[in-house]
Amino acid sequence: MAGTPTPSQTVGPFFGHALPYPEGPWAVPEDHPDAIELRGRVLDGAGAPVPDALLEICQPGIFGRCPTDPEGRYVFRTARPATYISMLVFARGLLKPVWTRVYLDADDPFLATLDEPRRATLVARLEDGFYRFDVRLQGAGETVFLAV
């Protein structure tokens, strides 16, 4: 029947071979003056790693894409943001990708509107020279996701 919309389908797990590209995680050169490394894991509601998620980051003039490994880990090299890094997460079981923000500094007017446990899910922690940002798709400590 023409004009009848089809129902939504869940995304993935086809990302591991269709969308990543070799330079994807390396959004800026290693010698970029404001280069930072952002690492983390994507976890499901039970705290188990999501081995076939795909993450995209975006800042003005900067784009990166990275699949997760079998332990749900990802890594990006990007520039230190003026305020935050936008992150899209594609994963099996999601009807649409989810959008969040990665803040390196907790001193932000938007973050001030959230209670402490939710605010903490948007702030990356500095660990051994890199920033760690884990994404929890649901359950305890679920990352704050924003409507686009």
Side-chain angles (χ1 to χ4, degrees):
M1 192 176 212
T4 303
T6 58
S8 294
Q9 300 290 317
T10 60
V11 295
F14 51 84
F15 304 114
H17 61 84
L19 295 175
Y21 56 99
E23 304 82 22
W26 317 121
V28 299
E30 194 170 1
D31 62 352
H32 187 284
D34 293 321
I36 62 163
E37 195 166 288
L38 180 66
R39 297 183 196 176
R41 297 177 74 200
V42 178
L43 306 167
D44 67 15
V50 178
D52 52 7
L54 182 81
L55 292 90
E56 292 182 349
I57 60 168
C58 186
Q59 299 177 68
I62 299 173
F63 175 81
R65 180 181 289 154
C66 184
T68 56
D69 71 8
E71 296 301 315
R73 294 177 298 215
Y74 72 89
V75 61
F76 286 104
R77 183 175 54 238
T78 188
R80 177 177 297 283
T83 53
Y84 61 85
I85 300 167
S86 290
M87 178 181 279
L88 273 176
V89 181
F90 299 81
R92 59 186 142 100
L94 297 176
L95 293 177
K96 297 179 181 180
V98 291
W99 175 54
T100 191
R101 293 176 176 177
V102 181
Y103 289 87
L104 305 185
D105 181 358
D107 185 26
D108 182 87
F110 172 72
L111 291 175
T113 67
L114 302 172
D115 61 29
E116 176 51 36
R118 294 188 46 80
R119 181 174 37 245
T121 72
L122 296 176
V123 181
R125 298 181 322 272
L126 187 58
E127 292 183 1
D128 300 322
F130 66 90
Y131 286 91
R132 181 176 183 95
F133 184 78
D134 291 337
V135 176
R136 294 187 178 269
L137 294 174
Q138 60 182 7
E142 176 181 337
T143 300
V144 171
F145 298 110
L146 306 164
V148 180

